[in-house]
Each structure stands twice: as structure tokens, then as C-alpha cells.
Amino acid sequence: FSRQGCEDLPWQYPAAGYGDGYPYQSHQRQPAAWQGDRDPRQGESYSKSYRDQHYYRGYHPNLATGPPGQDRTQTYGSYEGSYSSIARREGTGQGTLGSDSEEAGGQPKEPSLLLQYHESGLSSSSHELSQYIRDGADHYDPVLPGSWNVGRTGGPSGSTPTPAAPLKFPELHTALCFGAGGHLVLVCPQSPAKGQLHRVELHSLEAILHGTEELEELQAFPGPLAREDLHKVDVMTFCQQKITTGCDLSTQRGRDSSLLWKLLVLLCRQNGSMVGSDTAELLIQDCRRQDKYKRQDPVMGLTDDEWASRQPGTLDLITGEVPPVVETQAQIVEKFTKLLYYGRKKEALVWAMRNQLWGHALFLSSKMDPRTYSWVLTGFTSTLATNDPLQTLFQLMSGRIPQAALCCGDATWGDWRPHLAVMLSNKVGDMELNQRAIVTMGDTLASKGAVEAAHFCYLMADIPFGYFGAKADRMALLGSSHRQAFSQFARTEAIQRMEIFEYCQQLRQPESFLLPFQVYKLLYASRLADHGLPAQALQYCEHICAALLRRDPAAHPVLAQQVLRLAERLKLSDPLLLEMPEQDQAPEPDWLDQLRACCREWEVR
């Protein structure tokens, strides 16, 4: 087509976009800004004609509906007069498309939306989409084939019919997305050009995932535990169920995991407080069996000749008597006394040690020189088995790190629980030594892969929780090693167990919370939303917000922003909105406004 006597407008028509062969067509609308930004001087006739007739067919050529073989230039030719009038107004300064025109008052006139569309290189409908879909993954090139380009000073580049641009998708298909309200949204493949109506289906994720192990695990937990209507009996019942159904007591790791759940039950029952004897009783009850520790002969440092001269049936050169082979307790004590008659203290000590008279030997040696006392004491401890808990106690009372703390976890060593129980129940004066011994035992167990047992020791030593990225920290989630992959580390069970521990701390100190744990609460809330439980997820966001507002949210800006982002998507899932009258419903809860204000303040700062 030709435009004689007027300047051609530099329009560029984009290729096939979002509307070709896709159910999106019936959703396109005229931008609301057209009615406000239009210059009244253009006349109502042009406005109505453009809105009603030319918006989709003339301005967006790919939406023209005509016979398949019809040349698209015929469509544009039918609207030549409308575009020519616009060009004349632009050339004489009467139109609204010029960017240099001014209002009567001398103020620069704001460019119209048509000019904005032209300068952006997008069509009107594409420009509208760009205002709402800023982060879309589908970007298309607004530059079209040369046959559709109209130069600023010349006419069309070709007069031959141009083949239709390829469709964005080869065929109709179902579009879907996940909604924040716990729904799966499906847009069914319908063709509005054929008179078919659009159909949008909303499916509940909770109904779709019904019966899955992940959803049942989330529904069984009585969280969030910070709510006021929760009774601690419900938490204790949940822990007992985990012991019954989730711990294989035939394995060492299953017994260690069961021990952690039992500890949480004990903490919950006693409102977050406990003493060493309470934990020791729990450790002894959890022992599968009481090990029998074999006694050994005392090590006295005697030569073979000296030891043979003191065996039963040998002539005693001092008394001139042959001691009987089998002696009663009274005869043993009488022999000890007779040796002291002759002043033979060393022989009396050896006799008492060989016949298990450790009380006589220790008292006698304590009244002698320190070296002799140490010798008798070493002989006494040498009669105990290496893995005997008494060895652990005596070594700890001697001011040393017990050997059990360095060797526990081996199959040949035995159970680690009695050794920890004896250290917790019999703390020595040096509290630092006690803590160091327990932490060393935890480190040894962790190096052997017994994570639950190691974390039990760390809890007894009051080791704080750290972060997943800080590998030097000893704990990040209770019962889960942060040295493995994050998907294995941040399991739902580990997060639930950690929340119970935080709840037990709050029973003792209501305002306390574990700051490193809040990010895992956010992760748990996201999982709830993904499984169709948005109301419960929103409650978690509220409790995380309360914890952050007690501190400075600027100290954790990323966490605060992510909580705000998730809460804004879930805010309409608040059960309180359903109970309130419609006229009294607040657009957002107060805690969400406070969190948003803190985030904005941090951004400004």
C-alpha cells in the first residue's frame, strides 16, 4: 500500500508473539492507560475506531483473522486513513506522538503511550506484557523480517506476499504453574479462534499428594510449636511415635537416634531443665546390656624371682613358715599383720595387693612416701579392665582426659553410654576438664560416623549450634551432619527434631530462640507450601518474623527478605481472614508490615 502526500510513520510490527495459536489470545486486554493518556484532541471517532476495531487486528498484524491465503497488506490498507491522520497531526504539532511538544502552560507534555511503544520497539500488547511479565523466561526479538519493516523515509521493502511467521509453539498444549495458595493451576489447551471457551482448573496439592510419605510426615508434626494452643503432651507423644516407628533398635545408629528422641521427651517433661543424674539414668536405661568387665592381675613391678618367692607354698624366710595354698580372708589379714610385726612394709603391701586387700594397701601406702602411694594406686587401677567405667572415673578424678573419650566408638571397646554416664554423675572440681572430656568423646564418636551419639555429647557440654557453611562448627541441626550434601543434611525429620529442642528451651525461657535455626524454619515453611499447607506455612513465617524483630533484622537481611517474600505470597491464607467480617479485614497483618518496614529501612541505610 502507499501513503501519498504524508510522511510514513516509523512503525515496526513484531513477529508472532504470545498470542499466536495459544490460549493467551482471549486474555489480552487493552491497557487501561489508553483511556487516561489519550489526547482528547484526537477525537472520539478515532479512539473508538482504534479500540474497537484496530487494536488487535490493525496494530498487531499477527492477530488478524482472515482467510489463510489473504495478503496481510490488505488489512493494513483498510486502516490507511486512520494512520494518515495521525501522521498529519504529528507533522503539524497537533498530535500527541511528538516528544518535543509542550502544553499551553509551558510544561513539557508527557509522551503518550503510543510513542513509548514506538520507542521501546514493542507493539501495544507486547508493551503491556512487559509491564507485568518482567522476569519471564521467554524473550523475543522485536525486529521482524524485512518485508514487514517500514522505513522512516521509505515505503515497504517489498510488495510480494510475506509468509506467515512461525508459531511460538508447534501445537496447543496445557500450561501449568504452582500457586502460592497450595494449588496447581492448569490452563487447558483451547483455541478461542475456533469458538472454544477457556478453561482453567485449580487442583489442591494436598489432595494430589494425599497418601505420600512426605505429606504424611509433614501432617503428623504438631508444628509450629510456638503457638499458644499447643500442649507439651502432644510433643511428647510425637517423640514417642518417632521412637516406635522411626528407630531400628537392632542397629547402633537406631539406638543412638532413639536416645536423642528420649532426651527430648525428658527435656519436655522437665520444662527444658535437667541435671547430670537425670541424663545418666537415661543413658543406663538405654544400654542394651550391662557389660561384664573382666578383672586382671595387679601390676606391681616385681621381677620373676621376687614374684615366685611370694607365691603360696613357698618357704617364708622371715617367719620360717610355709603359707597354706588356700587361705581364708582371716588368714590373709593375719599374714598382712604378721609382716608388719617385723617391719616389712613393702612385703605387706605386695601381700595385700596380691590378695585384693586394696583398702589396707592404699591406707598403708598413703602414710608412706608419695611414690609408694602412686605405685599402689597404679597397681589398683591395673586390675580394672581397660574399658571399665571405673577406669574412666579414676582417670577423670586424676585430672586426665579418660581413655574412653579417645577410644569409644570401636566395636572392641564396648558401649559409650556408661562412660558418659559416670562422667556426668561424678563431675570433678575442674569444670573445664569435665567439658573438655565430654567434647572429646563427642569428637571421637563423630569421627566414627556416630552423629546422633556425638550430638548427644555436645548437648551435655552445652556446645552452641552453628551454620551449614561453617564446617568447623560441631552442630547445625540436631542429629544431622552438616558435612554431607545439603539435601541429605536438611531432612524434614532433622528440622522437626531441632524445632522440638528449641521448644524445650522456650519452656524454660519463653523469649529464647535459636537464631541459626530460623533459616531452616523458612525452608520447612516452603515445604509446607509446596505440599498444599499454606496456612501452616504462614504461621511459620510469623514466628520467624517475631524472632527476627527481637533482634535487628538488618543483621540478617537475606533471611528477612526471603521471609517477607514468602509471607506476601501466603498472606491471604491466614485463617483469621476467614473469621473476620469482610469490611473489617485488614489487607496485611501487623507483623508483616513491621518486617517490610525494617527491610526498607535496611535498604535505605
Side-chain angles (χ1 to χ4, degrees), residues 268-297:
C268 192
R269 182 185 297 116
Q270 299 185 175
N271 293 329
S273 61
M274 62 179 179
V275 294
S277 57
D278 297 332
T279 312
E281 182 180 0
L282 180 65
L283 289 167
I284 297 302
Q285 290 178 353
D286 196 65
C287 286
R288 184 174 53 175
R289 59 183 178 83
Q290 293 290 338
D291 292 332
K292 302 300 182 181
Y293 303 102
K294 183 179 179 180
R295 299 284 177 172
Q296 301 176 1
D297 293 330

Side-chain angles (χ1 to χ4, degrees), residues 146-405:
S147 59
W148 284 105
N149 291 336
V150 181
R152 294 182 178 273
T153 59
S157 59
S159 59
T160 59
T162 305
L167 298 176
K168 183 178 181 180
F169 299 103
E171 60 183 12
L172 294 176
H173 63 279
T174 300
L176 62 87
C177 68
F178 293 94
H183 294 91
L184 179 66
V185 184
L186 299 179
V187 180
C188 299
Q190 307 292 342
S191 179
K194 299 179 181 179
Q196 299 177 353
L197 298 178
H198 282 296
R199 188 177 69 191
V200 178
E201 298 180 359
L202 298 180
H203 299 272
S204 172
L205 287 174
E206 184 178 5
I208 294 176
L209 300 175
H210 178 71
T212 60
E213 182 180 354
E214 294 80 3
L215 182 60
E216 291 180 351
E217 186 178 18
L218 293 171
Q219 290 176 333
F221 186 65
L225 302 183
R227 66 179 196 269
E228 297 179 355
D229 60 338
L230 177 71
H231 198 279
K232 66 179 184 179
V233 175
D234 299 332
V235 181
M236 296 168 61
T237 303
F238 175 80
C239 295
Q240 294 290 353
Q241 292 175 351
K242 297 298 291 186
I243 296 173
T244 305
T245 61
C247 299
D248 185 7
L249 301 182
S250 62
T251 63
Q252 181 65 37
R253 183 157 192 173
R255 292 193 296 272
D256 293 342
S257 180
S258 172
L259 181 62
L260 272 184
W261 288 112
K262 290 181 179 180
L263 176 64
L264 294 177
V265 172
L266 177 63
L267 287 173
C268 192
R269 182 185 297 116
Q270 299 185 175
N271 293 329
S273 61
M274 62 179 179
V275 294
S277 57
D278 297 332
T279 312
E281 182 180 0
L282 180 65
L283 289 167
I284 297 302
Q285 290 178 353
D286 196 65
C287 286
R288 184 174 53 175
R289 59 183 178 83
Q290 293 290 338
D291 292 332
K292 302 300 182 181
Y293 303 102
K294 183 179 179 180
R295 299 284 177 172
Q296 301 176 1
D297 293 330
V299 178
M300 294 180 289
L302 301 176
T303 63
D304 295 339
D305 296 338
E306 292 175 334
W307 181 256
S309 62
R310 291 169 172 80
Q311 293 300 318
T314 305
L315 177 64
D316 193 337
L317 300 179
I318 298 176
T319 60
E321 300 176 355
V322 177
V325 177
V326 179
E327 297 173 331
T328 62
Q329 184 70 16
Q331 293 174 336
I332 294 174
V333 174
E334 181 181 359
K335 176 66 177 295
F336 175 79
T337 306
K338 189 177 293 185
L339 290 173
L340 292 178
Y341 288 162
Y342 295 95
R344 309 289 294 184
K345 296 180 181 179
K346 183 68 176 293
E347 285 77 1
L349 288 176
V350 171
W351 174 262
M353 293 167 64
R354 186 169 62 86
N355 291 277
Q356 307 297 323
L357 292 178
W358 292 110
H360 298 73
L362 288 172
F363 182 81
L364 178 60
S365 61
S366 65
K367 302 304 179 181
M368 300 169 64
D369 58 283
R371 183 173 298 175
T372 303
Y373 177 74
S374 178
W375 172 65
V376 175
L377 187 61
T378 302
F380 168 68
T381 56
S382 65
T383 62
L384 303 175
T386 307
N387 58 345
D388 196 324
L390 287 178
Q391 284 277 22
T392 302
L393 175 61
F394 294 150
Q395 292 170 6
L396 184 65
M397 297 180 69
S398 301
R400 295 179 293 160
I401 298 294
Q403 190 177 1

Side-chain angles (χ1 to χ4, degrees), residues 11 16 25 34 68 77 86 122 135 145 202 206 239 309 339 350 374 380 469 485 490 523 542 554 589-590 597 603:
W11 302 108
Q25 294 178 10
W34 279 111
I86 300 174
L122 302 175
D135 299 328
L202 298 180
E206 184 178 5
C239 295
S309 62
L339 290 173
V350 171
S374 178
F380 168 68
L523 177 62
E542 181 179 358
D590 295 337
E603 291 176 356

Side-chain angles (χ1 to χ4, degrees), residues 67-97:
Q70 180 181 355
D71 190 351
R72 296 185 181 231
T73 58
Q74 299 176 6
T75 305
Y76 293 103
S78 63
Y79 310 128
E80 177 181 353
S82 298
Y83 291 133
S84 300
S85 62
I86 300 174
R88 294 191 187 95
R89 292 191 186 96
E90 182 183 17
T92 58
Q94 299 175 1
T96 60
L97 299 180

Side-chain angles (χ1 to χ4, degrees), residues 486 490 495 518-528 544:
F486 188 82
I495 298 177
Q518 304 309 309
V519 64
Y520 301 104
K521 277 188 176 180
L522 175 61
L523 177 62
Y524 190 80
S526 301
R527 292 178 181 175
L528 289 171
I544 299 171

Side-chain angles (χ1 to χ4, degrees), residues 428-447:
V428 297
D430 190 356
M431 300 303 297
E432 181 182 358
L433 176 63
N434 282 321
Q435 185 185 30
R436 192 150 41 92
I438 297 175
V439 171
T440 302
M441 176 177 284
D443 293 341
T444 303
L445 291 170
S447 65

